[in-house]
Amino acid sequence: MYKTAIIGAGVIGAMTARRLAAYDAELIVLEKEADVAMGQSKANSGIVHAGFDPEPGSLKAKLNLKGNRMMEETCHQLGVNFRRNGSLVVAFSEEDKKTLKKLYDRGNINGVDGLRLISGEEAREIEKNLSESVKGALYAPSAGVVCPYDLTIEAMGNAMDNGAQLMTNFEVSSIKKKEGYYIIKATDGREIEAEYVVNCAGLYSDKIAAMAGDTSFHITPRAGEYMLLDKEAGYLTDATIFKVPDAMGKGVLATKTVDGNILLGPTSADRENREDDRVTHCGLDIVREKEKMFFDNVPFDKVITQFAGLRAHGDKGDFIINSPVPGFVNAAGIESPGLTSAPAAAIKIEEILIGTGFRAPMKKNYNPCREKVVRFRELSIHEKNALIRKNKDYGQMVCRCEEITKAEILQALRRNPKATDIDGVKRRTRSGMGRCQGGFCMPHVLEIIAEEQNKKPEEVTKKGGGSKILYGRVKGGAR
Amino acid sequence: MRYSDVVIIGGGPAGMSAALSAREAGADKVTLIERDDSLGGILQQCIHNGFGLHRFGEELTGPEYAERYEKMVREADIEVMTGTIVTDLDSRRIVTCVSEDRGCIQIKAGAVVLAMGCRERPRGALNIPGTRPAGVITAGTAQKFVNVEGYMPGREVVILGSGDIGLIMARRMTLEGAHVKAVCEIMEDSGGLTRNIVQCLKDFGIPLKLRHTVTEIHGRDRVEGVTVAQVDENLKPVKGTEEFIPCDTLMLSVGLIPENELSKKAGVEISPTTKGPVIDANRQTKIPGIFACGNVVKVHELVDFVSEEGHTAGRSAACFAMGMNLAVQEKQAKKHVKEKKGVQNLPAETGATICTICPVGCTLKVTGEADGQLKVEGNSCRRGRAYAIKEFTSPERTLTSIMAAGDGTMVPVKTDKPIPKEKISECMKIINEKTLMLPISLGNIIIEKIGGTEANLICTRSFINK
Ligand SMILES: Cc1cc2nc3c(=O)[nH]c(=O)nc-3n(C[C@H](O)[C@H](O)[C@H](O)COP(=O)(O)OP(=O)(O)OC[C@H]3O[C@@H](n4cnc5c(N)ncnc54)[C@H](O)[C@@H]3O)c2cc1C
Ligand SMILES: Cc1cc2nc3c(=O)[nH]c(=O)nc-3n(C[C@H](O)[C@H](O)[C@H](O)COP(=O)(O)OP(=O)(O)OC[C@H]3O[C@@H](n4cnc5c(N)ncnc54)[C@H](O)[C@@H]3O)c2cc1C
Ligand code: SF4
């Protein structure tokens, strides 16, 4: 019997696990995919919003502000890269400027620090590639960028270091209420019992809530499509550039990710299917068209990949963090600014949990910090040599574009939460994320995974399930 | 910091040739740095033949060509660092590299030769809509899996792009038992050599869909199929022409890009058209003392010219390092005849073929006359007639493949002379059933008179230290 079961290992589930791991009580996280951060927390803009968007007084507004202020410290503790690059909402007309003023006022009510309304010229002083047609901007110096899956992985790892368990490939299919506890069943028949259940299931949070008897809300999948440009295009902008929101919503943005790539997008269109994260012709055309408004020359020839993320759009207009039935807590409909809010949302969820009866002593040896993963390419020659002397695997370069060594691949396979497939290694190390997109390093990574996990190469997958890469030997016996 | 007169980055044919000529020209200390564990570059996975006709006057496979150069390099007094990757280069010619045994070291070079080759364009660069399943792979990566590692990356394959690597891989996959369903090419003619279109596609009845592209990738975990469609003059898909082809693999052969990360770090000027360094006749880049040759400059079709370019670059680099005047070396590069590329389509009629003897590439038609004589039409010379009759009566091909060794190593092999075309599948069967013992040397006969033909099956790469 577990004290608490968290359903869903996105950034909200992971951050919540990290907080609950401070209690001396058995904790488990259940995730349907083969790895953590496979839902919304994998494919999003990675913006740590300043907080002028949400309605004053809403949960979104409160958690956004608090989350933004906590982010630096949280990332520092977890060894995750974070950069306050600032954001600019740009206006192209007088009408737009009026909206800027509204955002400015709303931001001040929400308590956003340092907001400034500036002219087009001033905006171009901050970002010199902004188009001449930019007539004014709202500058928010407190906005930042973080890598969303990095944050999720490290938060979950930290929870696991402190004793939390993670069960992957566990797709919750039913929740049964018993006297003082719940039985949670997976599609493959596995079962666990827990006194408290926290629903952090993102796109499926309405389904999970319904399993516990709460049918008060509905989630719609809303796709956002992106293009990612090579680091060579990094000159384009440093700050995040937004368009003034209009009837069509927030529109696309342009930003430099914490790793230095340029990210363009997202679009916004509802999808029928919650698994439909296809990239479409039409979506990419929209991205291309709209980005041209910001800059005169967008180097689209530097695109290295494109992807889509699905937003868990709830019909309540705000985050749903409540306890509809005793012992069961919802953290549902957490769409943007959910990533920003995550550290603060975890505290809110903890409060609600305590409100529904959760009690446990604190652990004495809880550690909220993690040792930062070694990133070889960020070190000095001296440090590199010291590492290679200690461990030869640092002398073996596996991914040439991102300069990732064999030791770092092994670290990803050995450190919590352990990577089990090619994409898992990629998210943890960036091997295969560079301009060749794994053409060179994928066979090497595959070999290392097989060796480390004692598997045949043909058993290694791209992302769990049936996503195998190879169909066995061409001829002859095993190697 | 260490010092070397000439440091060559990349141990492919360009780099090996540059190292040799730098030594020849009198450079004292020449260092050749290669990130792979063996020299040879891309040639090690190109087990097909068609290399070295100009340089050695015979048709070699990639590994054979590489081994000849490697032997010369090992015999010359050249410092070879394999398993070593260059991670930084600056305009003062300080080379930073990393390896297991030496750690992270810096070498000050009298002159540097860039010979890093090129890499393949990935899916991302193409903006193909759809899902992101396993089973989308570039042809070069697939080639490495099959020919070097010995693993099949797919069973039912659609190939996008008709560049040479794609064509070569269509044949390789077919010979190893996969079903290649189509090769789609967005342009109105293929970018591959005529020879490859005839011998890699036509021989195996693989359809070449010109003016077609892949418009969507399907499948959640593994590729389940692709939608292909015809394109218009603006290369946009034409509505109503979409066709779903079930497959488990989409192989991309959509171009190579010179690998110039290091060149850019050093501040070398890059040409927007070739995507390689701007160089002069001495193969010197815009930064004095930094030279470039081979695929890092522009994508070459023939390795022979790569070696030649490497030779010039190595010699110029040595002169620079020794403080000699470069202008003396100024020499007009030889003009090379280009091999025929870009067939508009495969002749559909039986009895029709494309002449692969010379660059003209005439479409030939053979008909039987009443008197038993064969009539050839479409040829522009007599060699074409002889070729057509041979192709019509008893076509022959050199078979190249791999054979498994007891320890799982894949050993590249070939028939030492062409065999009748219809004997190919029988010979493949024999190759697949046999397992080799190592060590083995280049040229060793593995099977005499394979399948009752006149040809011996021989080894094309030495595995001595195994
Ligand atoms: C396109 C896009 C752009 C965004 N941009 C930003 C931004 O710039 N800034 C920002 O702050 N926020 C942004 N967001 C919002 C942010 O990504 C989300 O709020 C945040 O990731 C939510 O995390 P989560 O843990 O609630 O959900 P998820 O990450 O979706 O996690 C839910 C997890 O539950 C699992 N699960 C579902 N069903 C089951 C089941 N039955 N059994 C077991 N496990 C299950 C899923 O597999 C998944 O791993 C964006 C979102 C999208 C989609
Ligand atoms: C599939 C295919 C089929 C071909 N078929 C034919 C044919 O039939 N006939 C023919 O004549 N030609 C053919 N070619 C062309 C010919 O093989 C190439 O043009 C030639 O190999 C290019 O030589 P290179 O030395 O410039 O590059 P490569 O062979 O690519 O060598 C570059 C080397 O540099 C190394 N390197 C790169 N970066 C670094 C670094 N930072 N540090 C250390 N080392 C580094 C790489 O590991 C590699 O070994 C073919 C090419 C391909 C890809
Ligand atoms: S027929 Fe003669 S001219 Fe025409 S391609 Fe053949 S060899 Fe060349």
Side-chain angles (χ1 to χ4, degrees):
Chain A
M1 169 88 69
Y2 293 92
K3 183 80 170 178
T4 318
I6 297 174
I7 303 173
V11 71
I12 301 293
M15 280 291 178
T16 305
R18 176 170 179 253
R19 274 208 81 85
L20 296 185
Y23 291 93
D24 197 2
E26 293 282 297
L27 170 65
I28 189 162
V29 181
L30 307 172
E31 169 56 52
K32 75 175 165 76
E33 300 292 332
D35 197 2
V36 308
M38 293 288 278
Q40 299 179 83
S41 306
K42 175 179 65 177
N44 61 49
S45 312
I47 311 293
V48 177
H49 290 285
F52 48 77
D53 257 325
E55 269 315 309
S58 64
L59 200 49
K60 275 187 184 172
K62 282 185 217 145
L63 298 182
N64 183 336
L65 247 288
K66 190 167 166 192
N68 179 304
R69 286 182 186 150
M70 289 176 72
M71 197 56 85
E72 194 155 352
E73 165 85 20
T74 307
C75 287
H76 184 72
Q77 289 180 334
L78 294 174
V80 171
N81 290 336
F82 167 72
R83 201 159 53 88
R84 260 189 223 287
N85 60 337
S87 72
L88 288 162
V89 185
V90 296
F92 296 98
S93 65
E94 286 309 310
E95 195 56 36
D96 280 357
K97 278 189 173 173
K98 280 186 206 145
T99 319
L100 282 189
K101 177 73 174 56
K102 274 189 211 148
L103 288 178
Y104 174 75
D105 293 341
R106 202 195 293 168
N108 283 331
I109 299 172
N110 287 350
V112 181
D113 299 323
L115 278 182
R116 268 195 300 144
L117 282 170
I118 58 176
S119 67
E121 280 73 50
E122 285 171 306
R124 276 181 291 278
E125 266 165 37
I126 295 172
E127 283 306 338
K128 64 175 187 308
N129 291 315
L130 278 178
S131 145
E132 281 296 321
S133 49
V134 169
K135 299 284 184 273
L138 173 63
Y139 180 51
S142 67
V145 280
V146 67
C147 171
Y149 40 82
D150 201 13
L151 183 61
T152 309
I153 289 165
E154 296 304 327
M156 184 59 74
N158 181 234
M160 293 169 85
D161 294 348
N162 284 299
Q165 273 188 56
L166 169 68
M167 220 180 255
T168 51
N169 297 310
F170 192 107
E171 182 172 0
V172 175
S173 58
S174 81
I175 301 173
K176 241 190 244 123
K177 174 109 183 109
K178 292 283 174 181
E179 206 54 48
Y181 69 99
Y182 288 91
I183 300 179
I184 306 173
K185 218 173 165 164
T187 36
D188 63 4
R190 278 183 289 171
E191 257 181 32
I192 67 119
E193 296 171 355
E195 287 175 49
Y196 294 89
V197 178
V198 185
N199 166 18
C200 302
L203 281 160
Y204 294 88
S205 51
D206 56 346
K207 307 261 184 203
I208 298 289
M211 288 176 201
D214 172 19
T215 52
S216 62
F217 64 94
H218 181 73
I219 302 286
T220 311
R222 182 168 287 175
E225 300 183 34
Y226 293 94
M227 278 183 182
L228 188 76
L229 308 188
D230 195 301
K231 288 178 183 171
E232 276 179 11
Y235 63 85
L236 192 66
T237 186
D238 187 54
T240 302
I241 313 295
F242 299 104
K243 201 182 120 12
V244 164
D246 55 23
M248 301 301 293
K250 266 201 277 188
V252 301
L253 59 87
T255 191
K256 188 193 249 167
T257 67
V258 85
D259 294 299
N261 296 86
I262 293 291
L263 183 65
L264 307 175
T267 56
S268 178
D270 287 352
R271 293 267 165 101
E272 304 220 322
N273 185 322
R274 297 178 197 221
E275 297 292 323
D276 181 3
D277 60 354
R278 277 176 305 166
V279 172
T280 63
H281 243 296
C282 170
L284 295 179
D285 280 346
I286 293 174
V287 174
R288 240 175 263 130
E289 237 5 83
K290 295 207 168 158
E291 294 290 346
K292 283 186 200 151
M293 292 181 65
F294 295 148
F295 315 101
D296 294 332
N297 281 307
V298 185
F300 288 114
D301 59 329
K302 294 265 187 290
V303 61
I304 54 176
T305 188
Q306 45 288 124
F307 60 87
L310 291 172
R311 305 171 178 90
H313 178 62
D315 54 1
K316 289 278 174 274
D318 202 354
F319 294 158
I320 301 161
I321 303 184
N322 60 18
S323 175
V325 269
F328 184 92
V329 174
N330 278 322
I334 315 252
E335 52 187 328
S336 193
L339 173 65
T340 315
S341 308
I347 298 178
K348 177 82 188 165
I349 292 163
E350 183 187 359
E351 284 168 14
I352 304 268
L353 203 54
I354 291 170
T356 186
F358 176 92
R359 295 288 180 282
M362 299 307 267
K363 268 184 201 141
K364 290 197 184 66
N365 51 354
Y366 173 76
N367 182 2
C369 300
R370 282 205 107 181
E371 206 179 313
K372 195 175 157 98
V373 288
V374 177
R375 290 183 219 274
F376 190 78
R377 81 199 120 115
E378 291 171 5
L379 305 177
S380 71
I381 290 193
H382 186 72
E383 293 167 315
K384 284 180 179 171
N385 264 322
L387 273 181
I388 299 172
R389 245 177 278 128
K390 264 199 297 189
N391 179 356
K392 272 187 182 259
D393 290 338
Y394 280 107
Q396 215 186 101
M397 201 67 72
V398 174
C399 167
R400 59 184 170 181
C401 310
E402 296 284 331
E403 279 182 37
I404 313 295
T405 62
K406 180 172 179 189
E408 290 164 274
I409 308 278
L410 287 171
Q411 175 182 253
L413 293 166
R414 291 174 184 168
R415 192 177 136 110
N416 281 332
K418 296 186 177 91
T420 57
D421 47 38
I422 303 259
D423 281 1
V425 168
K426 173 167 147 180
R427 278 191 295 277
R428 285 164 180 76
T429 62
R430 289 187 62 77
S431 79
M433 285 206 183
R435 47 187 71 96
C436 90
Q437 290 283 298
F440 174 75
C441 64
M442 191 266 276
H444 287 264
V445 173
L446 189 146
E447 207 179 303
I448 297 171
I449 296 179
E451 205 180 285
E452 174 73 10
Q453 300 177 344
N454 242 320
K455 277 186 188 162
K456 288 185 186 157
E458 56 268 41
E459 290 166 352
V460 176
T461 64
K462 175 169 159 43
K463 50 180 179 181
S467 64
K468 64 174 178 179
I469 311 269
L470 300 173
Y471 286 77
R473 298 287 286 163
V474 174
K475 59 188 76 172
R479 280 238 266 193
Chain B
M1 196 182 300
R2 306 164 54 130
Y3 176 83
S4 211
D5 293 311
V6 180
V7 171
I8 295 120
I9 309 175
M16 288 195 285
S17 172
L20 283 167
S21 75
R23 260 312 274 160
E24 256 169 50
D28 232 7
K29 183 155 184 211
V30 176
T31 306
L32 176 60
I33 307 179
E34 166 57 46
R35 67 173 168 220
D36 209 64
D37 289 332
S38 50
L39 294 174
I42 194 84
L43 294 178
Q44 297 295 12
Q45 64 185 61
C46 297
I47 61 156
H48 59 281
N49 69 339
F51 299 82
L53 211 51
H54 297 261
R55 176 66 183 76
F56 294 111
E58 53 184 312
E59 270 213 303
L60 302 172
T61 64
E64 288 175 311
Y65 189 97
E67 201 162 318
R68 289 201 182 186
Y69 264 93
E70 183 178 354
K71 190 155 174 286
M72 292 189 265
V73 168
R74 300 282 179 193
E75 281 163 5
D77 185 14
I78 292 168
E79 179 184 34
V80 179
M81 295 185 183
T82 49
T84 307
I85 186 163
V86 176
T87 54
D88 203 6
L89 171 68
D90 70 15
S91 57
R92 296 163 306 163
R93 303 188 297 280
I94 293 174
V95 180
T96 309
C97 54
V98 178
S99 69
E100 278 186 21
D101 2 307
R102 293 187 191 83
C104 185
I105 57 169
Q106 291 195 308
I107 307 172
K108 166 79 188 172
V112 169
V113 179
L114 307 171
M116 289 91 72
C118 55
R119 65 186 145 81
E120 298 180 278
R121 270 177 84 201
R123 167 184 180 180
L126 303 175
N127 289 313
I128 309 174
T131 51
R132 313 189 58 75
V136 181
I137 189 169
T138 55
T141 306
Q143 188 177 43
K144 182 163 184 205
F145 267 130
V146 177
N147 294 348
V148 182
E149 314 281 342
Y151 286 94
M152 282 301 266
R155 296 246 171 255
E156 306 265 301
V157 186
V158 170
I159 299 179
L160 176 60
S162 63
D164 285 311
I165 317 182
L167 300 177
I168 297 274
M169 278 314 288
R171 175 173 65 188
R172 284 295 300 135
M173 294 299 285
T174 309
L175 283 176
E176 301 301 348
H179 179 193
V180 179
K181 297 192 149 177
V183 174
C184 296
E185 168 59 58
I186 196 165
M187 307 307 281
E188 60 190 14
D189 56 29
S190 156
L193 301 173
T194 309
R195 169 163 56 105
N196 285 338
I197 292 184
V198 173
Q199 298 186 0
C200 298
L201 300 187
K202 195 164 184 283
D203 276 4
F204 301 95
I206 300 168
L208 173 62
K209 289 173 167 289
L210 296 170
R211 284 188 159 281
H212 275 73
T213 192
V214 171
T215 56
E216 188 167 349
I217 296 172
H218 306 267
R220 180 177 142 92
D221 285 351
R222 177 83 197 188
V223 172
E224 284 161 19
V226 294
T227 305
V228 304
Q230 209 176 318
V231 297
D232 62 19
E233 308 77 57
N234 304 318
L235 307 183
K236 291 268 175 267
V238 178
K239 277 238 151 42
T241 63
E242 297 90 358
E243 175 196 359
F244 176 78
I245 307 183
C247 60
D248 56 39
T249 304
L250 173 64
M251 203 180 277
L252 304 173
S253 171
V254 289
L256 300 166
I257 307 167
E259 173 122 13
N260 278 293
E261 280 62 45
L262 288 174
S263 324
K264 285 176 193 166
K265 280 187 183 168
V268 165
E269 188 189 328
I270 303 292
S271 149
T273 45
T274 60
K275 310 265 187 253
V278 178
I279 50 169
D280 63 17
N282 293 310
R283 303 287 180 265
Q284 183 163 238
T285 66
K286 286 288 162 82
I287 296 188
I290 299 186
F291 300 79
C293 55
N295 278 357
V296 80
V297 175
K298 74 177 202 333
V299 178
H300 291 64
E301 261 136 41
L302 286 184
V303 70
D304 310 66
F305 308 151
V306 167
S307 297
E308 195 179 296
E309 213 177 275
H311 189 83
T312 312
R315 195 182 44 200
S316 312
C319 290
F320 183 93
M322 295 184 291
M324 281 159 61
N325 199 349
L326 280 183
V328 191
Q329 308 296 332
E330 199 94 28
K331 190 184 96 189
Q332 202 52 43
K334 266 184 269 166
K335 274 265 177 288
H336 296 293
V337 213
K338 276 220 168 149
E339 213 176 318
K340 170 73 179 177
K341 280 178 43 170
V343 258
Q344 292 271 325
N345 214 336
L346 294 180
E349 314 160 59
T350 44
T353 188
I354 300 160
C355 181
T356 62
I357 300 283
C358 92
V360 178
C362 306
T363 298
L364 310 177
K365 203 171 162 239
V366 185
T367 38
E369 293 288 281
D371 56 4
Q373 286 283 310
L374 289 176
K375 190 173 148 226
V376 178
E377 291 169 84
N379 57 318
S380 310
C381 76
R382 279 172 44 198
R383 284 182 306 164
R385 186 185 140 77
Y387 171 83
I389 290 175
K390 178 91 183 133
E391 268 291 294
F392 190 70
T393 53
S394 56
E396 290 184 337
R397 301 284 183 260
T398 297
L399 176 63
T400 57
S401 182
I402 48 174
M403 195 179 253
D407 70 345
T409 303
M410 287 296 155
V411 178
V413 296
K414 73 170 187 186
T415 56
D416 62 0
K417 48 172 89 66
I419 58 169
K421 208 164 95 178
E422 74 274 3
K423 283 278 188 182
I424 288 179
S425 69
E426 187 185 334
C427 291
M428 275 307 296
K429 242 191 174 149
I430 298 171
I431 292 173
N432 291 344
E433 277 160 9
K434 195 171 156 81
T435 307
L436 282 170
M437 289 307 285
L438 300 185
I440 193 164
S441 294
L442 189 150
N444 284 11
I445 296 179
I446 299 164
I447 300 171
E448 278 181 33
K449 299 202 183 306
I450 184 168
T453 65
E454 288 302 303
N456 300 322
L457 189 77
I458 61 170
C459 163
T460 61
R461 181 179 177 183
S462 303
F463 292 88
I464 306 289
N465 299 329
K466 287 263 179 173

